[in-house]
Amino acid sequence: MLWKAMVCCGAWLLVMSSRSLIGANKHDPRTVSFSRTLRPEKLGQVRSRSRRESWFGASSFAYCRQPLTQSEHETLDQNTHETGFHGDDGSSFTLTWVGDGTGVILVLSTISVPLDSFYEGGSSRLYRSEDYGKNFHDISHVINHTFIRKDFGVSAGPGNSKQVILTADLPITKTEGGVIFTSEDTGVSFTSIILPFHPAQPITFNFQNLNYLVAISTDGGLWLSLDFGNRWAKVHEGAHSFMWGANITLYFSSSPKGTVEANRRGELFLKRTKDLGQTFTTIAQNIFSFGYIGGFLFTSVMEKLGSPRVIYVSSDQGETFNKAQLPSASTEQFYSVLDGDEDMIFMHVDKPGEDTYYGTVYTSDDRGVLYSKSLERHLFGGEGKSDFTNITSLRGVYLTNVLEEDGGIRTVISFNRGGEWRFLKKPENVKCGANVKKCNLHIHGEHSRYNNITPMLPLTDPTAIGLIIAHGSVGESMSAMRPDVYVSRNGGYTWFCTLKGPHHYSILDSGGLIVAVESHKDRQINSIKFSTDEGQCWKSYNFTEHPIFFAGLASEPGSKTMNISVWGYRPEDDDQPMWVAVTIDFERLLTRECGEKDYVNWLAHSMVGGASETDGCVLGYKETYRRLRRLSVCRNGRDYVVIRKQTPCPCSMEDYMCDYGYYRHENSSECLKQADFKEKTLEVCVNGVVEELQTSGYRKVPSDKCEGGFKPRRRVSAAQKHCGNGSQASFNSTHPEKHVDSLILTVLCVTVVVVAVVISIAIIIIVRRMMSRQRQHAYLFSTLQLQDDDQFIQREPGSQTSSNRGSYQADSDDVCLNAHHKYLITD
């Protein structure tokens, strides 16, 4: 099942299958969508809230407020720009940032006609701004007022590309092909191109050469363009999903023509082309889904008919594969890659049983083959939501939620890439109830946003060192009572409550500025809060005299900008809604460039009272950052670069994770052997050879750089025997495949030969014998080819290979179940 990646009301949202192989929560940060939630006739009224939208109780803290000076107010007034999109009745607005630092925004306004309407399709308008949203111009005439798709209508090239693709929304049944508009000058001009197919998914750029494009058509054709969409060629049939690999390598899954629901039955092939569709190599069969992250290629396969699924992984772009040492997954379970890089993978394996809503997180070695238990009872809801969050503002930090046996949800955090997990400390400025025995902070994630408890996910950025902004609550477990906004400035070690109630927030100027807007669904707003001290104190600014119903915040990706746009709508004189964008430029408010005295050296992961030799040591080394002082009011600027100094540390037990077959007991750093591995020799099949693992229970965390110190016993030796399940793919084409029409061409040639034999009666004996030999060879070749194709689907593979997935596609291993939640969020 395929889902869309979109943003609703300003919060990033990636929807995926609850049975997906790849759950890498990555989206295109250049695109954000807003939609109206009120009917036009209700704009002037106050809605009554449902119980889910109601908040009870009051926050037990008072946040720091500072008055806005007259000079600050005048400066902000002079640098606030409001745009009203008069006469635009679009129900949704989609913003796409083009290039890096260009200030160009394309805005697509779309209104869709109901399916039972007399008219087909809908209508759209296209706007363009080249000053970060301060002014917009209607450029719909540049594309002849063509209706552009709402779901994946605008695609911008990655990086600092000036290339843009617009995909028209045309009736598939009435046109032979689709239409796209391409631009190479950030949308100043567009070229119309008629496609020989209808796109079923977004047209995807190659990261190495942006003129190379790939798309899948509605009839399953895989199409390539090598000249930025001007000409297209169908290179394969029956494609399901695809992804670019290293350089120009392309991976895709496919099924034989006429096959129905091959992905649900695990009958897909995984194929690879290294020459842009000239030749193909089939590198796996009988796969359900495939994915690619951090240089690792994964595939979920069924080794035997009716058997549970297993994972195979390749770290050499699909040349060789090894079976991942993970529990198998039945039809009621699923795998999900939570996060990963070139060193290590976080993999979630669902708990056996239908709708358990939790599972176990495993971490891999640097080959992606050996996996160790990292976290048990990891929450993963039936709607496909995981709260697993990579804290990008500090190395090695991950945050997620666990489902306790009593049904409560609690937040845990790891500072060493999943080696150990602990509960969050309670902020000092918040109190727990008198009867609360275990008082901790709990952070709301995907599950809470899905249930309309919070409007945003936790927010971090690599340039804002140590900074985390998130919604949370304190107590024994997570509460659905009015969540407040919490901030950590040291990567999650300590927190403080900074704003009352749900907010939308954004990080600007590499953390030197934070902005926030209160989240309300029943009333209009006209103010924005901002902080120059990482959320310790806030000032409020009224950005408009005419309040709006808030839809979302928008700023250029990457937190370098100092411009923020507040989007919403208000009723016009005829009571019809009018979209409004208010852009505030804070650059004129923070005019002073930061100097050396504004920065301080900060040792990350440092603990009060820690030993000087090991204080701050995480993953084998210390990192000292140069970052802005909290009380410095100045501008980092667009050219700001994070400066860090690394120092190696001696090895300790914290630099090791539990080895394959071992687990770390709760509240202990000691690794114990799993019960089902006791009295057994640890053997692993790698590259077709059995490796015997002799270990004391510890292996170094991938990417750990410690030197000397603690060195546990660990030795891997190759046994003198081969694996039953080899590491190679079930089938690797000895000769690369040409285009899929080659088999048809062969059959046609045979037919011509047969006709020629029938006609050539004059040389019956000699010619018939010669042609019989040719016909026999051709027939045998065709038959063998067909048999191999059948075996791709039916036979039991000796080994499998892994595959690659599109970022927004959900490779479904099973049917996505929209069941009710079985976990508890306390009221």
Side-chain angles (χ1 to χ4, degrees):
M1 178 176 284
L2 303 180
W3 292 77
K4 297 182 293 184
M6 63 179 294
V7 181
C8 180
C9 300
W12 299 114
L13 174 63
L14 174 61
V15 186
M16 64 180 184
S17 165
S18 67
R19 296 297 184 262
S20 65
L21 166 69
I22 293 300
N25 297 318
K26 296 182 178 179
H27 51 264
D28 184 0
R30 297 180 178 275
T31 300
V32 55
S33 297
F34 304 128
S35 58
R36 289 199 302 263
T37 56
L38 295 180
R39 295 190 301 272
E41 65 271 18
K42 298 294 184 179
L43 278 173
Q45 304 177 18
V46 176
R47 291 191 307 165
S48 60
R49 293 183 174 186
S50 64
R51 187 178 186 278
R52 174 59 72 187
E53 296 176 351
S54 301
W55 306 115
F56 301 95
S59 302
S60 59
F61 82 104
Y63 74 89
C64 174
R65 308 183 191 185
Q66 292 181 335
L68 195 66
T69 67
Q70 182 64 29
S71 175
E72 290 173 330
H73 198 286
E74 292 176 355
T75 299
L76 289 174
D77 281 347
Q78 295 170 1
N79 292 277
T80 297
H81 309 266
E82 180 171 326
T83 300
F85 296 84
H86 298 278
D88 192 317
D89 54 358
S91 57
S92 67
F93 267 42
T94 301
L95 286 67
T96 300
W97 294 83
V98 183
D100 184 13
T102 62
V104 175
I105 311 173
L106 292 180
V107 174
L108 178 67
S109 168
T110 307
I111 180 170
S112 298
V113 176
L115 295 178
D116 57 354
S117 172
F118 175 79
Y119 299 97
E120 293 185 352
S123 63
S124 64
R125 289 186 183 179
L126 186 66
Y127 302 91
R128 184 177 184 271
S129 171
E130 55 186 24
D131 53 10
Y132 296 92
K134 298 173 185 177
N135 297 280
F136 286 92
H137 303 281
D138 189 339
I139 62 169
S140 303
H141 62 280
V142 178
I143 57 172
N144 300 320
H145 299 276
T146 305
F147 180 28
I148 303 301
R149 296 183 64 107
K150 175 184 176 181
D151 45 4
F152 54 84
V154 185
S155 300
N160 200 25
S161 170
K162 295 182 180 181
Q163 294 167 294
V164 183
I165 300 175
L166 306 179
T167 303
D169 194 340
L170 301 177
I172 297 176
T173 58
K174 295 186 178 181
T175 57
E176 294 183 0
V179 172
I180 61 173
F181 296 88
T182 61
S183 173
E184 299 185 77
D185 53 13
T186 66
V188 175
S189 60
F190 284 92
T191 300
S192 176
I193 300 174
I194 299 177
L195 300 177
F197 63 93
H198 286 281
Q201 302 169 12
I203 296 174
T204 304
F205 291 82
N206 178 275
F207 285 91
Q208 299 295 322
N209 189 326
L210 300 185
N211 287 324
Y212 295 170
L213 306 176
V214 63
I216 290 181
S217 60
T218 53
D219 60 358
L222 184 69
W223 293 80
L224 280 173
S225 173
L226 306 182
D227 56 3
F228 192 47
N230 290 294
R231 291 170 296 180
W232 291 84
K234 182 191 285 189
V235 297
H236 212 282
E237 298 277 3
H240 284 248
S241 61
F242 66 87
M243 192 178 212
W244 289 105
N247 299 317
I248 61 171
T249 300
L250 181 66
Y251 301 94
F252 64 97
S253 60
S254 66
S255 60
K257 190 174 182 179
T259 305
V260 180
E261 294 188 337
N263 59 325
R264 296 183 182 276
R265 298 196 301 270
E267 298 176 352
L268 294 176
F269 305 113
L270 175 60
K271 297 190 176 185
R272 178 187 66 197
T273 175
K274 293 183 176 181
D275 51 15
L276 299 172
Q278 297 301 309
T279 59
F280 299 92
T281 300
T282 302
I283 57 177
Q285 68 175 38
N286 289 1
I287 77 168
F288 286 88
S289 56
F290 74 99
Y292 180 85
I293 185 172
F296 292 98
L297 211 58
F298 295 91
T299 185
S300 170
V301 302
M302 181 185 296
E303 291 185 306
K304 297 180 180 180
L305 186 62
S307 66
R309 298 183 307 279
V310 294
I311 293 289
Y312 275 80
V313 61
S314 171
S315 57
D316 57 8
Q317 301 297 310
E319 294 297 330
T320 59
F321 291 81
N322 291 287
K323 184 177 178 180
Q325 301 304 307
L326 285 164
S328 59
S330 64
T331 55
E332 289 81 22
Q333 297 174 263
F334 63 94
Y335 298 101
S336 179
V337 178
L338 302 171
D339 195 66
D341 54 26
E342 65 276 5
D343 294 318
M344 192 174 76
I345 296 296
F346 286 89
M347 181 81 75
H348 172 100
V349 182
D350 198 37
K351 175 73 175 179
E354 188 173 354
D355 300 338
T356 56
Y357 297 108
Y358 70 92
T360 302
V361 175
Y362 293 84
T363 52
S364 75
D365 62 358
D366 55 3
R367 298 176 298 182
V369 176
L370 290 181
Y371 286 79
S372 302
K373 279 187 180 181
S374 175
L375 179 66
E376 295 183 318
R377 300 195 67 86
H378 177 245
L379 179 63
F380 206 122
E383 75 287 346
K385 304 295 181 185
S386 169
D387 293 342
F388 196 87
T389 303
N390 179 6
I391 304 300
T392 60
S393 61
L394 194 62
R395 173 181 58 95
V397 183
Y398 291 85
L399 186 78
T400 193
N401 285 314
V402 294
L403 180 63
E404 301 284 14
E405 294 184 359
D406 61 1
I409 299 174
R410 304 189 73 186
T411 298
V412 291
I413 191 168
S414 174
F415 298 104
N416 59 354
R417 303 194 75 186
E420 293 181 88
W421 297 85
R422 64 184 74 172
F423 296 117
L424 297 182
K425 293 182 179 180
K426 181 190 74 68
E428 293 183 359
N429 65 334
V430 179
K431 296 180 180 180
C432 278
N435 298 324
V436 177
K437 298 179 180 179
K438 297 179 180 179
C439 186
N440 297 95
L441 173 64
H442 306 287
I443 299 299
H444 291 274
E446 283 278 11
H447 293 92
S448 295
R449 190 175 62 168
Y450 180 80
N451 287 285
N452 297 319
I453 297 174
T454 61
M456 283 197 70
L457 301 177
L459 181 63
T460 65
D461 189 87
T463 64
I465 298 301
L467 184 63
I468 312 173
I469 311 175
H471 288 97
S473 59
V474 295
E476 294 184 355
S477 61
M478 189 173 293
S479 172
M481 292 179 62
R482 183 179 178 88
D484 298 316
V485 179
Y486 291 80
V487 170
S488 174
R489 64 186 308 268
N490 55 11
Y493 283 95
T494 60
W495 298 75
F496 63 95
C497 198
T498 182
L499 289 173
K500 290 185 177 181
H503 281 70
H504 292 263
Y505 37 75
S506 185
I507 298 174
L508 307 180
D509 192 35
S510 301
L513 181 67
I514 304 174
V515 296
V517 175
E518 292 184 13
S519 177
H520 295 292
K521 295 183 179 180
D522 62 344
R523 65 179 184 267
Q524 295 165 296
I525 58 101
N526 66 347
S527 66
I528 187 172
K529 302 171 186 175
F530 65 94
S531 171
T532 59
D533 55 11
E534 297 176 330
Q536 182 170 307
C537 287
W538 297 83
K539 295 182 179 182
S540 181
Y541 167 63
N542 291 339
F543 56 80
T544 182
E545 296 180 355
H546 306 285
I548 61 175
F549 287 99
F550 178 77
L553 290 175
S555 62
E556 183 184 30
S559 81
K560 292 282 189 178
T561 186
M562 297 193 71
N563 287 272
I564 188 73
S565 294
V566 184
W567 286 77
Y569 46 91
R570 69 167 72 100
E572 291 190 282
D573 295 336
D574 57 358
D575 287 333
Q576 292 300 310
M578 177 185 70
W579 280 98
V580 177
V582 181
T583 299
I584 308 167
D585 187 352
F586 285 92
E587 187 171 354
R588 301 300 179 186
L589 185 67
L590 302 178
T591 57
R592 186 174 70 85
E593 295 284 349
C594 297
E596 286 297 325
K597 293 183 179 180
D598 294 301
Y599 296 95
V600 62
N601 290 329
W602 177 66
L603 177 60
H605 299 285
S606 178
M607 304 295 291
V608 178
S612 59
E613 183 182 17
T614 59
D615 187 31
C617 288
V618 170
L619 300 176
Y621 59 100
K622 304 180 182 182
E623 278 188 313
T624 301
Y625 292 90
R626 174 180 171 268
R627 71 172 185 174
L628 191 64
R629 294 179 183 273
R630 176 182 284 187
L631 299 181
S632 288
V633 182
C634 58
R635 186 173 67 230
N636 283 312
R638 183 171 291 275
D639 297 331
Y640 172 75
V641 177
V642 175
I643 299 176
R644 71 192 74 192
K645 179 183 177 182
Q646 297 181 351
T647 306
C649 297
C651 296
S652 66
M653 191 174 290
E654 293 182 352
D655 295 295
Y656 291 81
M657 60 199 317
C658 292
D659 212 339
Y660 172 64
Y662 287 77
Y663 73 100
R664 183 165 270 128
H665 193 270
E666 186 177 359
N667 300 323
S668 172
S669 59
E670 183 181 2
C671 292
L672 305 176
K673 202 166 189 178
Q674 294 174 211
D676 50 346
F677 281 95
K678 289 183 178 180
E679 310 301 330
K680 290 184 179 180
T681 301
L682 296 177
E683 294 182 343
V684 183
C685 180
V686 178
N687 296 330
V689 178
V690 174
E691 289 184 355
E692 291 185 358
L693 177 63
Q694 297 179 358
T695 175
S696 57
Y698 303 88
R699 62 179 170 88
K700 187 179 287 188
V701 176
S703 75
D704 193 292
K705 299 179 181 179
C706 68
E707 301 175 355
F710 176 68
K711 288 187 177 181
R713 177 180 59 85
R714 190 178 195 274
R715 185 168 64 90
V716 178
S717 59
Q720 299 301 316
K721 55 183 178 180
H722 296 281
C723 305
N725 287 332
S727 64
Q728 300 298 321
S730 302
F731 174 84
N732 281 314
S733 299
T734 305
H735 302 287
E737 305 169 34
K738 293 292 184 181
H739 289 331
V740 291
D741 295 334
S742 60
L743 182 58
I744 299 175
L745 181 60
T746 301
V747 175
L748 289 175
C749 291
V750 173
T751 305
V752 172
V753 171
V754 173
V755 174
V757 170
V758 174
I759 296 175
S760 305
I761 302 176
I763 48 175
I764 297 176
I765 300 176
I766 299 176
V767 176
R768 181 174 296 175
R769 289 179 180 175
M770 294 176 60
M771 297 305 294
S772 175
R773 286 196 294 269
Q774 294 178 7
R775 192 166 60 246
Q776 182 181 22
H777 289 307
Y779 175 75
L780 289 175
F781 174 80
S782 299
T783 303
L784 287 173
Q785 185 69 47
L786 290 171
Q787 287 175 348
D788 286 343
D789 286 346
D790 283 340
Q791 289 170 2
F792 269 66
I793 306 171
Q794 303 294 338
R795 72 178 182 181
E796 298 176 1
S799 61
Q800 297 292 338
T801 59
S802 165
S803 86
N804 224 346
R805 263 196 74 64
S807 299
Y808 293 95
Q809 300 165 8
D811 281 336
S812 179
D813 285 346
D814 304 280
V815 177
C816 181
L817 302 177
N818 295 317
H820 294 290
H821 295 268
K822 290 186 178 179
Y823 49 83
L824 172 67
I825 299 180
T826 59
D827 290 326

